[in-house]
Amino acid sequence: NAGVTQTPKFQVLKTGQSMTLQCAQDMNHNSMYWYRQDPGMGLRLIYYSASEGTTDKGEVPNGYNVSRLNKREFSLRLESAAPSQTSVYFCASSEYSTGPYYGYTFGSGTRLTVV
Amino acid sequence: KQEVTQIPAALSVPEGENLVLNCSFTDSAIYNLQWFRQDPGKGLTSLLLIQSSQREQTSGRLNASLDKSSGRSTLYIAASQPGDSATYLCAVRGGGSQGNLIFGKGTKLSVKP
């Protein structure tokens, strides 16, 4: 009954380092999403994958890349971390992107600090 | 561009009160609206999902209403408890090929014993 699992839960990076945030869901959902949450800004969409094999940019994609590894897994990569990427990152999944009647399920988040 | 606003930003009430949280959105062409709860340092827990064709949804002490034509939703919490203290987020799922979820900034609720 795991739902959406994110790893790691916490991470501290130095400016310029790279890392990959992992996300996996066990609900057989087609669509997966990456959001970031910042104080005063709310949650903003970084990238999404409507179905296996497709990815698209959201509202704030600069500085990030994604990979939809298979139906279960959707990773977010920071190639050269910057302090502006200090945030809490949430992964989510939903049944269909183009079938809009389903809700989203969120993971517990990754708290990333870039120093 | 869809914008979601939640008022008030923060609310403090004594235990036992009934309360209403408000959410408004600028584009009424939505597919559904979802209310979430977020505890400090935690993820988002889905509370209620209302389809655009529905007027309200209920779960226990929670009742969410939707007036799509006026771009408004309310979350009603009956007989509030200290355990209800959290941030409540409203999000709408828009139209088009993306249909992605757009969030308000939340209402931080504190229920005092």
Side-chain angles (χ1 to χ4, degrees), chain A residues 47-63:
Chain A
Y47 270 95
Y48 67 100
S49 171
S51 60
E52 187 178 355
T54 70
T55 60
D56 284 287
K57 295 178 180 179
E59 181 183 357
V60 287
N62 291 344

Side-chain angles (χ1 to χ4, degrees), chain B residues 5 36-38 43 45 62 66 72 79 81 84 90 97 105:
Chain B
T5 303
F36 295 88
R37 168 184 173 141
Q38 185 175 30
T45 300
L62 304 179
L66 174 64
R72 295 178 187 274
Q81 303 170 357
D84 295 329
C90 167
S97 60
K105 295 181 180 179

